[in-house]
Amino acid sequence: MLWVMPPRIWMRLTALVVGTAVLGGCAPAPGARWWKGNLHTHSLWSDGDEFPEVIVDWYRSHGYDFVALSDHNTLAAGERWIDAAGSAGGMGALDGYLERFGDEWVERREVNGTLEVRLRTLEEYRVLFEEPGGFLVIQSEEITDRFQSKPIHVNATNIAELIPPQGGGSVVEVMQNNVDAVIAQRRATGQAMFPHINHPNFGWSITAEDLIAVQRERFFEVYNGHPAVHTDGDDLRPSTERLWDIVLAERVRQGQEVMFGIATDDAHNYHEYDDNHSNPGRGWVMVRAPALAPEDIIVAMEAGDFYGSSGVVLEEIEFAGGTLTLRVQEEEGVAYTTQFVGTRAGYPAAEVTPVPAGAPVTRRYSDEIGVVLAEVPGTSPSYTVTGDELYVRAKVISSKRKENPYREGEMEVAWTQPVVIRR
């Protein structure tokens, strides 16, 4: 059997030969460190309720290293004026904007008795925040499409030019057309960028089969902090984490590339904080890269050099000698439990007969997909592979309740990317 890791994998991997098994990989890039960032958030350029400068300032002041404002089907470019009182943030947003950035920065005008404010472009406001190795703003877009009544959203990170929704004749075709449009722009411009599938359970639009079928897509949101996108699934439909395991098992079995799991907050609301609003700070990625630059972040993520988090911090992730080991940054008074999750080779195939119409939106998959292989307490958990796993990933669960959760009882968690075994 051959153990395969993504190229330049962030888990330091030493070569090992065990019988016919060969483990191999590359160490992180020299000087690589962890960078905290959010790839999915919204401003008054689309359906957020705050000015982009205020949003970027929030992330920078809360310990983030980078942020991408991914407004719906638009880039923060060109001239745009909004009705101050009629905007999603109303006059309260304008008052806060003026207080933070001042009269000279905030452009206003009166048109037929209506007070309007000009939205500053990305190129204008990024100079207020960016500094080499200190903070980065990445241009992004949430390509917002649909098939019939099903919303289908694809984020494009570090996009160079606006991509309109591409449409298509099925859920898979809509996803594929938008993914391909991002890849085509990357090839045409030479600029590093990547697409990722947003909140697949939003509108119950995207099934496990759809995610398995889409080609050239390596990322999807395993965690989204918006309370309306059904991250946890329901009694009939799988959670996004369950979707991830189905996709991983089936893609590995079929010899396809795996899909990595991203955590985001998908923030829209910056004035009211509760579990009825999509607030900033709920989910993010920690990326291990040698520099804080878009191309370095993207190369690292495409290599799997990152993890998703809703609060738990990992100091190290290492796979060596057939053992996956984590080191969790300890917080006083908080306990940690790590679940090593995977699927073993030879799991039963999905039931051929679809579930009843109008019930779940995916076929029935075996309970042997995405099982907890081991559960280990403490801040230095490890798991030694037995040889029959298709993949192993780790989920670290803390005893600390999430501050401002998207649902009651949410705990802080971290999700590592899968270590893959291909037969």
Side-chain angles (χ1 to χ4, degrees):
M1 70 185 84
L2 177 65
W3 301 73
V4 181
M5 295 292 293
R8 222 210 78 207
I9 190 66
W10 47 285
M11 293 182 258
R12 294 200 308 269
L13 190 59
T14 57
L16 173 71
V17 179
V18 182
T20 59
V22 180
L23 285 74
C26 301
R33 52 154 287 189
W34 295 110
W35 306 97
K36 180 178 180 178
N38 183 39
L39 297 176
H40 185 179
T41 193
H42 298 275
S43 76
L44 283 165
W45 277 93
S46 64
D47 60 346
D49 66 7
E50 188 56 275
F51 291 90
E53 302 97 302
V54 178
I55 296 169
V56 173
D57 189 53
W58 187 96
Y59 283 98
R60 188 180 66 166
S61 66
H62 283 77
Y64 286 71
D65 301 299
F66 64 93
V67 67
L69 272 64
S70 53
D71 281 304
H72 297 279
N73 295 337
T74 189
L75 299 180
E79 185 172 343
R80 183 173 174 188
W81 295 79
I82 63 168
D83 178 349
S87 73
M91 292 302 294
L94 176 58
D95 291 342
Y97 187 34
L98 282 165
E99 181 179 354
R100 173 64 183 83
F101 293 95
D103 284 321
E104 292 186 6
W105 178 262
V106 180
E107 291 191 25
R108 289 152 290 169
R109 69 183 185 188
E110 188 171 310
V111 178
N112 298 324
T114 297
L115 177 62
E116 295 185 340
V117 184
R118 185 172 76 85
L119 294 180
R120 291 278 188 168
T121 67
L122 172 61
E123 292 309 310
E124 287 179 300
Y125 69 72
R126 73 190 319 166
V127 298
L128 301 179
F129 307 102
E130 289 192 322
E131 55 180 301
F135 193 79
L136 174 68
V137 184
I138 301 175
Q139 178 165 261
S140 297
E141 175 194 356
E142 184 170 12
I143 305 170
T144 305
D145 211 337
R146 65 176 49 248
F147 172 68
Q148 296 176 349
S149 62
K150 296 180 177 180
I152 300 167
H153 298 182
V154 176
N155 248 48
T157 297
N158 201 40
I159 195 170
E161 300 173 356
L162 184 73
I163 295 177
Q166 301 294 296
S170 68
V171 169
V172 172
E173 189 174 316
V174 172
M175 281 196 298
Q176 193 67 68
N177 289 343
N178 287 294
V179 165
D180 287 348
V182 178
I183 294 171
Q185 185 178 118
R186 177 174 181 164
R187 290 172 177 163
T189 63
Q191 179 166 305
M193 64 184 74
F194 69 81
H196 84 249
I197 304 298
N198 290 344
H199 41 56
N201 279 348
F202 179 44
W204 307 114
S205 297
I206 299 173
T207 68
E209 293 81 35
D210 297 330
L211 290 172
I212 294 164
V214 67
Q215 301 294 304
R216 297 172 293 282
E217 176 56 270
R218 302 293 309 284
F219 305 93
F220 93 116
E221 290 179 350
V222 67
Y223 176 93
N224 180 299
H226 196 304
V229 301
H230 308 298
T231 294
D232 294 320
D234 64 12
D235 292 341
L236 298 174
R237 287 160 288 212
S239 68
T240 51
E241 195 166 349
R242 171 65 173 165
L243 283 176
W244 194 17
D245 283 306
I246 294 169
V247 172
L248 288 174
E250 288 290 288
R251 282 194 167 207
V252 173
R253 184 183 64 81
Q254 297 172 18
Q256 299 183 53
E257 292 183 311
V258 297
M259 199 170 263
F260 296 133
I262 292 175
T264 70
D265 59 35
D266 191 4
H268 291 69
N269 309 121
Y270 305 88
H271 301 282
E272 295 181 76
Y273 283 73
D274 56 43
D275 58 11
N276 291 315
H277 293 84
S278 54
N279 300 138
R282 286 180 173 159
W284 56 87
V285 290
M286 297 293 294
V287 183
R288 192 170 194 176
L292 184 60
E295 58 272 18
D296 291 279
I297 296 296
I298 289 168
V299 166
M301 291 191 68
E302 290 182 329
D305 300 23
F306 74 100
Y307 65 91
S309 180
S310 65
V312 172
V313 177
L314 305 181
E315 296 177 345
E316 185 59 272
I317 307 168
E318 181 180 55
F319 184 68
T323 298
L324 176 59
T325 303
L326 280 62
R327 188 167 71 246
V328 183
Q329 185 178 101
E330 187 172 7
E331 185 175 342
E332 186 176 355
V334 178
Y336 302 89
T337 301
T338 298
Q339 295 177 341
F340 291 95
V341 179
T343 302
R344 300 187 186 278
Y347 66 87
E351 290 185 12
V352 175
T353 304
V355 294
V361 292
T362 189
R363 297 163 69 189
R364 288 195 179 98
Y365 287 85
S366 169
D367 290 339
E368 294 179 32
I369 291 176
V371 299
V372 176
L373 303 169
E375 190 167 275
V376 183
T379 58
S380 299
S382 65
Y383 173 79
T384 300
V385 299
T386 61
D388 63 348
E389 302 93 340
L390 292 176
Y391 66 90
V392 179
R393 63 179 181 83
K395 177 182 181 180
V396 184
I397 307 167
S398 83
S399 63
K400 182 180 178 181
R401 288 187 179 273
K402 174 86 174 149
E403 184 178 349
N404 185 28
Y406 73 84
R407 62 165 170 78
E408 187 177 353
E410 183 187 356
M411 313 303 287
E412 292 187 349
V413 174
W415 300 263
T416 74
Q417 304 312 317
V419 178
V420 180
I421 308 168
R422 292 180 181 168
R423 290 177 174 266

